[in-house]
């Protein structure tokens, strides 16, 4: 049973560029959430996708956008990169079937903006 | 506003001993869920244990137990018989009030646990 997978593992971009991060949820999960974890901090919620729509959003600017595909996989796009966007980006998946939607996390994508 | 506070930036414990990691939370909702995650240096967040606000008993999962004191708004993680592989960052989290069972998680800043041989 494959867990949550993310790609790429590491990424280096220049200020002003755009980046796309990818996530495949755990088998049987239909909901994908994205988190940003700056160095030395806890993860912060970016947004959540279900049925190909953004359902919840945290306090992040419009430069952060996403998409969910019919197979439940998801992408996180960040435009006009800033140095402060350097962080570990975590994807988490869950299922709306259970009463307690435990979120399973992927290994993350470490983004460095220079 | 909902908030998670972890006041211990770092902790040391001798192998095979028990350790308690502190977590306090703030919420005005009567119904909420509390989680503990482990994050090794590889980066992946590993779910450890869950406690619902209406659960009568403290949650336990193997060597992990949650010392839930509702009146004090604390949800401390107890790891018994520490192992070298327990060395990692530990995060306490609360489910956001919006979104019901699918609500996003609000994390504390974490505690770095180091297990000494």
């Amino acid at each position: 049973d494959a867990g949550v997978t993310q790609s790429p593992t590491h990424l280096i971009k220049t200020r002003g560029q755009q980046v796309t991060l990818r996530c495949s949820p755990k088998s049987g999960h239909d909901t994908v959430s994205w988190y940003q974890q700056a160095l030395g901090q806890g993860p912060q919620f970016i947004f959540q996708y279900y049925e190909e729509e953004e359902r919840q959003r945290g306090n992040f600017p419009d430069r952060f956008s996403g998409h969910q595909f019919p197979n439940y996989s998801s992408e996180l796009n960040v435009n006009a990169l800033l140095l402060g966007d350097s962080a570990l980006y975590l994807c988490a998946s869950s299922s709306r079937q259970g009463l307690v939607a435990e979120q399973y996390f992927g290994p993350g994508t470490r983004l460095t903006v220079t | 506003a909902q908030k998670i506070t972890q006041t211990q930036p770092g902790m040391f414990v001798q192998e095979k001993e028990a350790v308690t990691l502190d977590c306090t939370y703030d919420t005005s909702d009567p119904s909420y869920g509390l989680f503990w995650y482990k994050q090794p240096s590889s980066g992946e967040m590993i779910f450890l244990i869950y406690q619902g606000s209406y659960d009568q008993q403290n949650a336990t999962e193997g060597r992990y137990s949650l010392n839930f004191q509702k009146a004090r708004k604390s949800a401390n993680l107890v790891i018994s018989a520490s192992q070298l592989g327990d060395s990692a960052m530990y995060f306490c989290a609360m489910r956001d009030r919006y979104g019901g069972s699918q609500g996003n998680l609000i994390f504390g800043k974490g505690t770095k646990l180091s297990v000494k041989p």
Side-chain angles (χ1 to χ4, degrees):
Chain A
D1 179 21
V4 180
T5 60
Q6 292 186 244
S7 63
T9 305
H10 295 87
L11 205 51
I12 300 175
K13 290 286 189 178
T14 305
R15 272 181 301 175
Q17 287 188 319
Q18 179 263 345
V19 69
T20 297
L21 310 181
R22 295 176 176 81
C23 170
S24 291
K26 181 179 169 63
S27 177
H29 285 185
D30 54 14
T31 302
V32 173
S33 302
W34 287 92
Y35 292 81
Q36 180 196 66
Q37 186 178 17
L39 199 61
Q41 302 293 318
Q44 287 201 317
F45 174 71
I46 303 174
F47 44 53
Q48 182 185 91
Y49 277 84
Y50 172 66
E51 290 186 330
E52 302 179 47
E53 289 188 13
E54 183 181 293
R55 301 291 178 166
Q56 298 176 49
R57 189 178 182 93
N59 188 24
F60 279 80
D62 292 344
R63 297 187 298 107
F64 289 78
S65 63
H67 189 78
Q68 186 179 34
F69 299 93
N71 66 352
Y72 307 121
S73 66
S74 176
E75 288 182 349
L76 163 65
N77 301 294
V78 187
N79 294 322
L81 285 167
L82 304 174
L83 295 179
D85 295 331
S86 295
L88 179 68
Y89 288 84
L90 295 164
C91 168
S93 72
S94 58
S95 170
R96 271 171 157 70
Q97 298 304 313
L99 292 176
V100 177
E102 175 188 322
Q103 294 193 1
Y104 289 80
F105 284 80
T109 293
R110 191 166 296 280
L111 172 65
T112 302
V113 182
T114 62
Chain B
Q2 292 178 294
K3 186 178 179 181
I4 293 286
T5 301
Q6 294 180 257
T7 58
Q8 305 155 313
M11 289 279 289
F12 287 91
V13 64
Q14 202 69 37
E15 192 179 7
K16 299 181 184 178
E17 292 186 350
V19 63
T20 298
L21 306 183
D22 295 341
C23 171
T24 57
Y25 59 92
D26 189 17
T27 181
S28 57
D29 292 327
S31 177
Y32 50 88
L34 296 159
F35 300 76
W36 275 93
Y37 282 85
K38 172 184 178 181
Q39 187 177 43
S41 56
S42 59
E44 184 173 352
M45 300 285 280
I46 302 168
F47 168 76
L48 296 178
I49 197 166
Y50 168 81
Q51 179 84 42
S53 58
Y54 292 123
D55 293 342
Q56 295 296 316
Q57 294 189 337
N58 288 343
T60 60
E61 289 286 349
R63 294 187 299 112
Y64 305 107
S65 60
L66 201 152
N67 184 2
F68 182 47
Q69 298 187 42
K70 201 169 181 177
R72 300 179 66 177
K73 293 190 174 180
S74 74
N76 298 339
L77 177 70
V78 180
I79 305 175
S80 63
S82 297
Q83 302 172 357
L84 295 178
D86 293 335
S87 294
M89 284 292 291
Y90 288 80
F91 290 93
C92 180
M94 168 185 288
R95 190 178 299 289
D96 192 286
R97 63 185 304 184
Y98 302 108
S101 66
Q102 295 298 322
N104 60 281
L105 297 176
I106 300 167
F107 287 86
K109 290 190 174 184
T111 296
K112 184 174 182 179
L113 177 66
S114 299
V115 180
K116 298 185 290 184

